[in-house]
């Protein structure tokens, strides 16, 4: 992670909104202006006083990330916009308080580093690394309640709200969890900062990122060969007298992101930057608005339009080109490259019909967006036994169609957005191991959507880097 001084973000919430943050014709923005709009997907907190106390406490806590870091990510995403880099955004669908242990965090980092180095080496392009990590605790749901055997309880909305156990007490939204989410994010970030700066992410450790479960697969063996190639390249550079002890070799920049869903939490962590006077949501470097909450006049878009972090918007198969353009105008009126990432998640088979018209409209309007493909959320289905899964082939197919759409339009495919884990879980079918449907029960551990396991993630990294290498050649 980048080095930053504390002076980059003050903990003050006071100060006038900066004019640059507001849409020219839109009403004045302030961190709480979202509450004048309708906000979907917010829990029904049973105790208003307890909620207010948690939010007040959060406002007193230090920022989790600094404004300067968020600005640096915007700059890097600006390089993606210009076709000079590619972004890998990946991690859990829903992080868990219990699984935020040191080993778990290290293993989640490992798989991201491993995938990124595969893509960077194969395609010869810088890979901007953004984790769905250190704050991805809130989930949008299709229904507010869940009924089992005649009993109806509030739905599980992520660990920042309630617990997954189907029991009345566990499912009751608990504002104390907002502080637990903050604390878990802080502890996770602390370890990530140590790992990414303290030698663990050193390119000379590239073999160590290959975890046992992954290493024994064909993709794991291919990775070993690639890692040997990196060793050889480093030896060659040393022999030439080049310094391979440089921080560029020893450290990586890993940025954090999550869906900005619980607006009270996000508002409480929104601070003015003491250098620029601009507002930043200091809960993560990048925030995105989900497919279920991206209405133009809704509270989530209102909140995100005023913070200066790089932001994303998920676009499902029903979004029209006009809606996509309106989102670009609302979220990036000053057309800053790297500010806005449009994340299409239309599903394999819908790319030509749903995504291509958007790609054309936004490109023709001259909006500088980072394009990103989320091949996960449009390809989810349930087995006859009601197990939510995704097929590796559909995931790959959507990525292929997405690259093809960009090749035809002459635009840069930007990045991919994935739900992954380094663990040997059995949540998605297919991949190099051809994980079968009947194996889904073996290790199905996700609290929300099915993730690619470590082997499937590495398989996908190799396949995506082949596509990326050809896209890079086409662009040059
Ligand atoms: C997610 O990213 O986990 C998610 C809920 O995505 P979407 O908003 O695209 O459905
Ligand atoms: Co998900």
């Amino acid at each position: 992670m980048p080095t930053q001084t504390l002076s980059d973000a003050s903990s003050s919430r006071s100060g006038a909104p900066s004019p640059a943050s507001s849409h020219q014709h839109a009403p004045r923005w302030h961190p709480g202006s979202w509450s004048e709009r309708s906000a979907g997907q917010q829990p029904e907190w049973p105790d208003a006083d307890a909620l207010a106390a948690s939010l007040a406490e959060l406002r007193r806590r230090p920022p989790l990330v600094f404004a300067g870091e968020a600005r640096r990510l915007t700059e890097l995403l600006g390089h993606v916009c210009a076709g000079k880099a590619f972004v890998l955004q990946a991690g859990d669908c829903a992080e868990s308080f219990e699984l935020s242990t040191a080993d778990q965090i290290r293993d989640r980092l490992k798989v991201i580093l491993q995938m990124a180095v595969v893509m960077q080496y194969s395609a010869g392009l810088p890979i901007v690394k953004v984790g769905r990590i250190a704050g991805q605790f809130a989930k949008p749901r299709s229904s507010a309640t869940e009924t089992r055997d005649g009993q109806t309880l509030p739905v599980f909305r992520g660990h920042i709200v309630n617990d997954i156990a189907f029991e009345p007490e566990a499912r009751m939204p608990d504002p104390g969890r907002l502080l637990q989410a903050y604390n878990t994010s802080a502890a996770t970030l602390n370890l990530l900062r140590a790992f990414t700066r303290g030698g663990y992410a050193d390119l000379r450790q590239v073999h160590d990122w290959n975890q046992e479960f992954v290493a024994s697969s064909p993709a794991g063996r291919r990775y070993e060969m690639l890692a040997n190639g990196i060793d050889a390249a480093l030896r060659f550079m040393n022999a030439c007298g080049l310094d391979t002890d440089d921080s560029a070799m020893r450290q990586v920049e890993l940025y954090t992101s999550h869906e900005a869903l619980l607006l009270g939490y996000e508002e409480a962590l929104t601070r003015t930057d003491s250098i620029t006077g601009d507002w930043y949501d200091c809960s993560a470097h990048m925030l995105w608005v989900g497919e279920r909450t991206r209405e133009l006049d809704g509270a989530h878009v209102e909140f995100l339009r005023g913070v200066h972090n790089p932001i994303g918007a998920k676009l499902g198969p029903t979004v029209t080109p006009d809606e996509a353009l309106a989102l670009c105008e609302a979220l990036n009126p000053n057309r800053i490259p790297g500010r806005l990432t449009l994340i299409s998640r239309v599903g394999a088979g819908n790319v030509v019909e749903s995504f291509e018209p958007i790609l054309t409209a936004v490109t023709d309007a001259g909006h500088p967006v980072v394009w990103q493909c989320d091949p996960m959320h449009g390809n989810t289905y349930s087995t006859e036994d009601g197990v939510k899964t995704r097929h590796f082939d559909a995931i790959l197919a959507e990525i292929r169609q997405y690259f093809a759409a960009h090749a035809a339009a002459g635009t840069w495919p930007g990045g991919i957005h994935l739900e992954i884990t380094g663990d040997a879980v059995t949540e998605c079918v297919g991949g190099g191991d051809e994980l079968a449907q009947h194996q889904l029960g073996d290790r199905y551990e996700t609290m929300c959507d099915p993730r690619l396991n470590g082997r499937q993630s590495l398989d996908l990294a190799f396949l995506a880097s082949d596509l990326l290498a050809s896209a890079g050649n086409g662009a040059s």
Side-chain angles (χ1 to χ4, degrees):
M1 291 214 180
T3 312
Q4 214 61 54
T5 60
L6 253 178
S7 64
D8 268 348
S10 79
S11 54
S12 149
R13 296 183 69 249
S14 61
S18 89
S21 66
S22 312
H23 188 284
Q24 245 184 339
H25 306 292
R28 249 168 106 80
W29 184 93
H30 60 91
S33 58
W34 63 268
S35 58
E36 292 146 31
R37 311 281 180 100
S38 122
Q41 297 288 340
Q42 307 303 294
E44 281 180 34
W45 302 102
D47 181 344
D49 291 343
L51 174 63
S54 277
L55 294 175
E57 177 59 31
L58 280 174
R59 283 196 285 273
R60 282 192 290 272
R61 298 283 177 102
L64 290 170
V65 304
F66 303 118
E69 295 174 329
R71 271 197 294 280
R72 165 81 179 145
L73 178 57
T74 303
E75 184 188 322
L76 292 175
L77 291 171
H79 298 166
V80 176
C81 244
K84 295 191 179 120
F86 191 76
V87 56
L88 170 67
Q89 188 164 8
D92 268 305
C93 178
E95 285 182 277
S96 146
F97 288 167
E98 280 93 48
L99 292 183
S100 294
T101 62
D103 287 355
Q104 265 287 334
I105 295 163
R106 184 203 54 214
D107 289 351
R108 284 190 278 157
L109 172 66
K110 270 185 183 181
V111 68
I112 294 176
L113 292 178
Q114 199 178 18
M115 292 177 80
V117 82
V118 163
M119 295 198 273
Q120 184 151 332
Y121 189 79
S122 314
L125 269 176
I127 305 295
V128 180
K129 293 167 272 296
V130 184
R132 290 174 59 115
I133 198 165
Q136 175 53 19
F137 293 116
K139 296 313 299 172
R141 305 312 304 264
S142 46
S143 165
T145 56
E146 183 183 347
T147 302
R148 287 190 203 172
D149 302 326
Q151 187 183 18
T152 299
L153 294 177
V155 73
F156 172 60
R157 288 186 183 274
H159 269 171
I160 194 170
V161 175
N162 55 5
D163 191 37
I164 197 162
F166 193 78
E167 285 150 24
E169 207 182 319
R171 286 293 174 91
M172 191 54 73
D174 172 7
R177 285 179 169 269
L178 295 170
L179 294 170
Q180 232 182 318
Y182 172 91
N183 292 341
T184 311
S185 300
T188 303
L189 250 169
N190 184 48
L191 200 60
L192 288 174
R193 288 183 194 278
F195 279 145
T196 52
R197 290 225 209 107
Y200 188 78
D202 193 319
L203 257 191
R204 288 164 298 191
Q205 309 282 323
V206 69
H207 291 276
D208 288 354
W209 305 340
N210 209 1
Q211 301 175 71
E212 214 179 288
F213 159 67
V214 182
S216 53
S217 70
R221 289 194 288 276
R222 190 174 165 193
Y223 176 83
E224 275 306 311
M225 281 161 58
L226 184 146
N228 289 338
I230 292 174
D231 288 344
L234 290 174
R235 280 198 304 275
F236 175 75
M237 285 163 67
N238 267 327
C240 294
L242 291 172
D243 183 12
T244 56
D245 202 29
D246 188 78
S247 65
M249 301 290 177
R250 284 190 282 107
Q251 303 183 347
V252 297
E253 291 180 43
L254 174 81
Y255 293 90
T256 61
S257 70
H258 61 255
E259 177 172 351
L261 188 72
L262 282 199
L263 294 174
Y265 178 84
E266 303 301 339
E267 178 191 348
L269 289 168
T270 297
R271 314 290 164 85
T272 47
D273 171 28
S274 57
I275 293 175
T276 60
D278 289 334
W279 292 97
Y280 283 83
D281 181 348
C282 297
S283 71
H285 299 113
M286 182 200 179
L287 288 314
W288 75 86
V289 58
E291 162 71 359
R292 291 180 181 82
T293 49
R294 56 162 171 70
E295 312 87 67
L296 203 54
D297 57 354
H300 292 81
V301 167
E302 171 60 18
F303 175 75
L304 284 179
R305 83 179 169 91
V307 295
H308 279 64
N309 309 58
I311 55 175
K314 293 282 200 94
L315 303 181
T318 59
V319 180
T320 64
D322 281 350
E323 282 169 342
L325 277 177
L327 274 173
C328 291
E329 278 301 321
L331 294 173
N332 192 15
N334 298 325
R335 302 191 174 205
I336 298 163
R339 153 78 176 164
L340 179 62
T341 299
L342 292 184
I343 310 162
S344 69
R345 30 86 82 227
V346 294
N350 293 330
V351 171
V352 171
E353 199 182 323
S354 303
F355 174 65
E356 285 189 358
I358 291 172
L359 178 59
T360 308
V362 172
T363 307
D364 288 352
H367 268 288
V369 302
V370 172
W371 294 106
Q372 212 185 66
C373 172
D374 163 359
M376 314 298 291
H377 290 88
N379 294 308
T380 316
Y381 66 94
S382 289
T383 65
E384 311 84 74
D385 307 330
V387 183
K388 237 207 279 187
T389 189
R390 292 159 173 161
H391 201 295
F392 186 89
D393 293 349
I395 292 168
L396 182 61
E398 184 164 346
I399 298 178
R400 280 192 197 290
Q401 291 158 18
Y402 168 83
F403 271 81
H406 281 285
T411 45
W412 179 241
I416 46 177
H417 186 119
L418 306 169
E419 290 184 340
I420 60 163
T421 171
D423 296 339
V425 299
T426 56
E427 298 169 4
C428 291
V429 291
D433 285 341
E434 303 200 0
L435 200 127
Q437 192 165 305
H438 69 83
Q439 293 173 289
L440 288 177
D442 294 353
R443 253 192 93 173
Y444 194 94
E445 295 174 3
T446 183
M447 292 199 304
C448 196
D449 291 335
R451 303 158 297 175
L452 294 172
N453 66 28
R455 288 181 177 184
Q456 291 168 326
S457 301
L458 193 59
D459 282 340
L460 196 72
F462 276 112
L463 293 163
S465 31
D466 292 343
L467 293 169
L468 186 55
S470 348
N473 290 336
S476 61

